[in-house]
């Protein structure tokens, strides 16, 4: 019998569900050796007892939220640990209005209608960014992503100062040539394996990691050619640990005082410290290079394009009286991994899946690409002018981001006073967020929302009508003042990669693929495809 089970006493049904959930969690995270079990028996018992008494009142939402439909605590949390696709959970807990669910921020109200989403995103005085709890600052996700950056800072002078520097930096960052050259580099690796299916998500993860590393701060992870290199493995460990459901739902377990209970977790913290030290080293070097450049521009020697860090530092110099500390720059660079790596890798994986499962769409898209780039048996790097001449590719990207929503929700807002939303009173202190998948799959907005149909985004099509009628019906990058600053960076990655991919390969699913009916997905926060194998047939 596992050690944790031997600590249990008979409980009523509700308590039993709670304890059984924790049994699974702790048994999966503790070191298995008998010696360690014996040493940690008493601390585990104390932790379990503390958890129960702290959280027993949170099994149901606060009384002031009882009037809003909800996902049961155990229904929702257990689904997360089982890795159930979020779209399945969503259908069980909402009629596409407001609903509440227990998440990493506690009980939160989720919005799935465009009218409510518009108010939530545009009224920053009514719905300011929620302040991150002290417990979260000690977690892997907190240390990596939730620092003083424009994603998590509340609306105020510090956020506005950063935005004034980052806006021009991102507008100037157009590494189109770099994206094309990295695509060529990836094709060399794909060509070595075209006799068997290839994991699309793993492939895109490595490609986008090299893209954000070089374009972001001139650091080459070399993930395309060396998937098991030290920095690639380190980064993967950090990102995987940041969405561990145990520590997302109960962040206090990640504190330095309890971390000894989870040795593997402590090792990931060390890996993260090494990663952040490397980021600091790069920032220090960039500042020194700029200080000694005598006004000369510093660009990538291969692509002749400036990296984002250089543009940020230059923009800070141009902003009179508005500087960014190393800590702010480092925090924002970590935040850019969300826009330039994880989300883009997932989006491209889903785009490849949709092309593979809709041969008529793939054929039409390839014809458009060939019309613009030609059909000579050689790689062609599209220019920024040429990617604007491919509207059908753009429609595919938009429909993929709608149908296969990458991010589950936006960073939570906090309600400073009682506020009406969707005809419902949201009490003061409540946390509110937008459920992107709920919005993008809302049948009151979209016809046959579960189907992939790029024609929705044709001129005068369904998406255009929905925007006129409902306002914010399509928002994969959020909207308003807090809209994702990396939107153009991500979209340009996709606009360059997909045309080059379609010229080079024909895509299809293996006959035994479990993704035939719909993509098999999993994940918390970001919805990732699971073992998405795709056939790549060379055209030249």
């Amino acid at each position: 019998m596992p050690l944790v089970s031997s600590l249990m006493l008979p409980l009523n049904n509700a308590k039993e569900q709670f304890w059984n959930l924790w049994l699974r969690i702790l048994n999966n995270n503790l070191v298995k050796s008998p010696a360690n079990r014996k040493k940690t028996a008493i601390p585990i018992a104390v932790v379990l007892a503390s958890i129960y008494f702290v959280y027993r009142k949170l099994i149901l939402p606060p009384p002031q939220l009882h009037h809003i439909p909800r996902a049961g605590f155990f229904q929702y949390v257990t689904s997360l640990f089982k890795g159930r696709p979020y779209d399945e959970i969503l259908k069980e807990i909402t009629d596409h209005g407001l609903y509440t669910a227990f998440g990493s921020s506690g009980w939160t109200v989720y919005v799935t209608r465009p009218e409510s989403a518009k108010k939530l995103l545009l009224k920053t005085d009514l719905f300011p960014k929620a302040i991150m709890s002290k417990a979260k600052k000690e977690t892997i996700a907190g240390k990596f992503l939730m620092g003083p950056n424009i994603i998590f800072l509340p609306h105020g002078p510090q956020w506005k100062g950063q935005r004034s520097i980052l806006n021009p930096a991102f507008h100037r960052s157009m590494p189109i040539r770099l994206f094309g050259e990295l695509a060529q580099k990836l094709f060399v690796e794909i060509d070595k394996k075209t006799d068997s299916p290839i994991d699309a998500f793993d492939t895109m993860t490595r490609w986008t990691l090299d893209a954000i590393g070089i374009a972001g701060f001139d650091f080459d992870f070399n993930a395309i050619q060396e998937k098991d290199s030290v920095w690639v493995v380190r980064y993967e460990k950090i990102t995987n640990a940041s969405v561990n459901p145990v520590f997302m739902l109960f962040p206090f377990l990640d504190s330095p005082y309890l971390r000894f209970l989870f040795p593997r977790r402590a090792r990931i913290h060390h890996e993260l410290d090494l990663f952040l030290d490397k980021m600091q080293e790069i920032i220090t070097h960039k500042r020194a290079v700029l200080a000694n450049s005598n006004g000369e521009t510093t660009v990538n020697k291969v692509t002749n394009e400036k990296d984002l860090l250089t543009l940020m530092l230059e923009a800070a110099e141009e902003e009179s009286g508005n500087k960014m500390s190393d800590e702010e720059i480092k925090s924002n660079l970590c935040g850019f991994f969300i826009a330039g790596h994880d989300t883009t890798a997932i989006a491209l994986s889903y785009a490849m899946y949709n092309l593979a499962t809709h041969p008529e769409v793939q054929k039409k898209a390839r014809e458009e690409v060939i019309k613009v780039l030609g059909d000579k048996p050689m790689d062609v790097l599209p220019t920024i002018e040429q990617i604007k001449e491919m509207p059908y590719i753009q429609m595919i990207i938009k429909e993929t981001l709608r149908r296969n929503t990458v991010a589950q929700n936006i960073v939570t807002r906090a309600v400073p006073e009682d506020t009406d939303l969707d005809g419902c009173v949201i009490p003061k202190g409540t946390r509110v967020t937008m459920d992107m998948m709920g919005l993008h799959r809302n049948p009151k907005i979209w016809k046959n929302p579960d189907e992939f149909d790029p024609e929705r985004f044709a001129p005068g099509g369904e998406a255009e009508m929905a925007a006129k009628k409902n306002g914010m019906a399509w928002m994969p990058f959020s909207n308003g003042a807090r809209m994702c600053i990396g939107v153009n960076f991500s979209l340009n990655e996709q606009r360059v990669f997909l045309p080059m991919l379609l010229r080079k390969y024909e895509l299809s699913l293996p006959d035994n693929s479990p993704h035939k009916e719909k993509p098999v997905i999993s994940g918390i926060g970001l919805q990732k495809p699971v073992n998405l194998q795709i056939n790549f047939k060379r055209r030249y």
Side-chain angles (χ1 to χ4, degrees):
M1 176 183 291
L3 167 68
V4 182
S5 295
S6 67
L7 301 173
M8 297 304 299
L9 296 173
L11 300 167
N12 61 37
N13 289 338
K15 293 178 182 177
E16 285 178 349
Q17 291 184 63
F18 183 84
W19 285 105
N20 287 336
L21 174 63
W22 273 95
L23 292 179
R24 291 194 297 272
I25 293 170
L26 290 171
N27 282 328
N28 286 334
N29 282 276
L30 292 172
V31 176
K32 303 293 184 180
S33 69
N36 281 328
R37 288 179 178 178
K38 187 174 181 180
K39 290 179 182 178
T40 56
I42 294 176
I44 292 170
V46 173
V47 170
L48 285 170
S50 301
I51 290 167
Y52 174 69
F53 286 112
V54 169
Y55 281 93
R56 63 181 179 178
K57 293 184 180 180
L58 296 181
I59 291 176
L60 291 177
Q64 62 268 30
L65 297 181
H66 283 185
H67 61 295
I68 301 175
R70 68 176 181 269
F73 176 88
F74 293 108
Q75 171 198 8
Y76 188 72
V77 174
T78 303
S79 296
L80 294 182
F81 283 101
K82 288 182 177 179
R84 286 185 62 205
Y86 182 68
D87 57 348
E88 292 182 8
I89 302 172
L90 181 64
K91 290 179 180 179
E92 298 173 3
I93 62 179
T94 181
D95 64 347
H96 299 284
L98 297 178
Y99 70 92
T100 62
F102 185 85
S104 60
S105 298
W107 284 98
T108 303
V109 174
Y110 291 76
V111 169
T112 64
R113 292 176 180 167
E115 301 87 347
S116 302
K118 183 176 181 179
K119 185 174 183 179
L120 174 67
L121 297 177
L122 299 187
K123 300 290 185 178
T124 54
D125 55 334
L126 295 178
F127 301 96
K129 279 285 177 77
I131 303 298
M132 180 178 58
S133 70
K134 291 182 179 180
K136 284 188 178 181
K137 292 182 180 180
E138 301 291 348
T139 66
I140 296 292
K143 289 166 62 177
F144 181 48
L145 297 172
M146 301 178 186
N149 58 54
I150 59 169
I151 299 174
F152 290 97
L153 278 173
H155 212 77
Q158 187 179 9
W159 178 86
K160 291 179 181 177
Q162 289 190 15
R163 192 87 188 193
S164 68
I165 291 173
L166 297 175
N167 270 343
F170 267 95
H171 287 154
R172 296 170 188 170
S173 179
M174 291 291 178
I176 303 299
R177 182 176 176 82
L178 172 65
F179 296 151
E181 293 184 351
L182 288 176
Q184 285 183 305
K185 189 176 180 181
L186 180 65
F187 294 163
V188 172
E189 299 303 310
I190 291 177
D191 286 346
K192 297 176 182 178
K193 308 172 185 177
T194 49
D195 57 337
S196 60
I198 296 173
D199 188 324
F201 178 59
D202 174 72
T203 302
M204 289 297 91
T205 296
R206 291 186 285 119
W207 183 78
T208 53
L209 184 56
D210 279 352
I212 190 59
I214 298 173
F217 43 93
D218 199 18
F219 179 79
D220 190 355
F221 285 92
N222 199 25
I224 292 174
Q225 294 179 317
E226 293 185 54
K227 65 177 296 182
D228 295 323
S229 69
V230 173
W231 286 104
V232 172
V233 172
R234 178 167 291 142
Y235 178 78
E236 288 179 348
K237 287 180 179 178
I238 293 167
T239 54
N240 290 335
S242 68
V243 293
N244 184 306
V246 177
F247 302 98
M248 289 185 71
L249 292 173
F250 306 103
F252 68 90
L253 289 175
D254 219 359
S255 71
Y257 310 105
L258 294 177
R259 207 172 290 158
F260 73 94
L261 291 171
F262 309 96
R264 285 179 290 178
R265 192 73 176 179
R267 289 194 291 271
I268 301 299
H269 276 274
H270 176 65
E271 295 288 338
L272 176 56
D273 291 339
L274 294 175
F275 185 88
L276 294 176
D277 287 345
K278 171 57 73 173
M279 299 284 279
Q280 181 60 59
E281 178 187 318
I282 293 170
I283 293 169
T284 301
H285 173 71
K286 282 287 181 183
R287 285 195 186 277
V289 169
L290 286 173
N292 297 321
S293 64
N294 298 320
E296 297 178 3
T297 58
T298 56
V299 298
N300 184 289
K301 295 179 180 179
V302 177
T303 63
N304 201 37
E305 296 167 331
K306 293 185 180 182
D307 61 82
L308 189 57
L309 175 56
T310 296
L311 293 170
M312 287 167 57
L313 294 173
E314 290 180 349
E317 289 296 322
E318 295 170 6
E319 280 282 321
S320 177
N322 187 15
K323 306 297 182 183
M324 287 179 67
S325 68
D326 283 4
E327 187 63 25
E328 289 177 303
I329 290 175
K330 183 166 57 178
S331 181
N332 276 288
L333 286 177
C334 288
F336 299 156
F337 276 99
I338 298 176
H341 176 246
D342 292 337
T343 54
T344 307
I346 297 170
L348 281 169
S349 301
Y350 286 136
M352 292 162 68
Y353 167 80
N354 288 326
L355 290 167
T357 53
H358 295 80
E360 73 287 352
V361 172
Q362 183 178 165
K363 182 175 181 293
K364 183 175 179 179
R366 184 175 292 108
E367 289 172 350
E368 178 182 75
V369 171
I370 290 173
K371 183 178 179 181
V372 176
L373 301 180
D375 200 19
K376 291 183 179 179
M378 58 182 291
D379 295 338
V380 177
L381 278 61
T383 65
I384 192 167
E385 291 78 18
Q386 287 173 324
I387 62 177
K388 294 176 182 179
E389 298 174 14
M390 298 183 237
Y392 194 62
I393 293 292
Q394 181 75 356
M395 290 159 59
I396 290 171
I397 293 171
K398 287 185 174 182
E399 174 65 351
T400 295
L401 292 172
R402 183 205 67 81
R403 166 62 183 83
N404 307 104
T405 302
V406 173
Q408 181 178 325
N409 52 263
I410 63 172
V411 178
T412 55
R413 309 293 203 255
V415 181
E417 58 186 42
D418 291 358
T419 304
D420 176 81
L421 187 63
D422 206 11
C424 183
V425 175
I426 307 298
K428 176 182 177 180
T430 302
R431 298 197 173 225
V432 185
T433 187
M434 181 181 70
D435 182 339
M436 289 190 182
M437 184 175 286
L439 179 72
H440 291 162
R441 301 279 190 89
N442 191 332
K444 297 176 182 177
I445 304 171
W446 308 97
K447 297 176 182 177
N448 302 316
D450 292 341
E451 294 182 6
F452 177 76
D453 180 11
E455 298 297 336
R456 298 180 201 271
F457 290 89
E462 183 182 357
E464 188 176 303
M465 296 300 102
K468 290 180 179 178
K469 181 180 178 181
N470 301 300
M472 297 182 178
W474 181 81
M475 290 184 289
F477 300 96
S478 188
N479 209 312
R482 309 296 300 232
M483 184 175 182
C484 175
I485 198 169
V487 53
N488 287 327
F489 188 96
S490 176
L491 288 175
N492 282 333
E493 281 185 273
Q494 298 177 62
R495 291 164 179 159
V496 171
F497 182 81
L498 290 175
M500 293 184 67
L501 181 75
L502 287 166
R503 287 187 78 256
K504 181 80 172 182
Y505 304 101
E506 294 178 0
L507 310 179
S508 63
L509 292 186
D511 293 336
N512 61 348
S513 173
H515 302 268
K516 286 286 187 179
E517 297 300 322
K518 66 175 186 177
V520 179
I521 63 176
S522 184
I524 301 174
L526 300 179
Q527 308 295 299
K528 303 176 182 179
V530 178
N531 192 25
L532 177 57
Q533 300 290 325
I534 290 182
N535 295 321
F536 289 75
K537 180 181 177 181
R538 289 184 59 175
R539 297 185 65 248
Y540 60 84

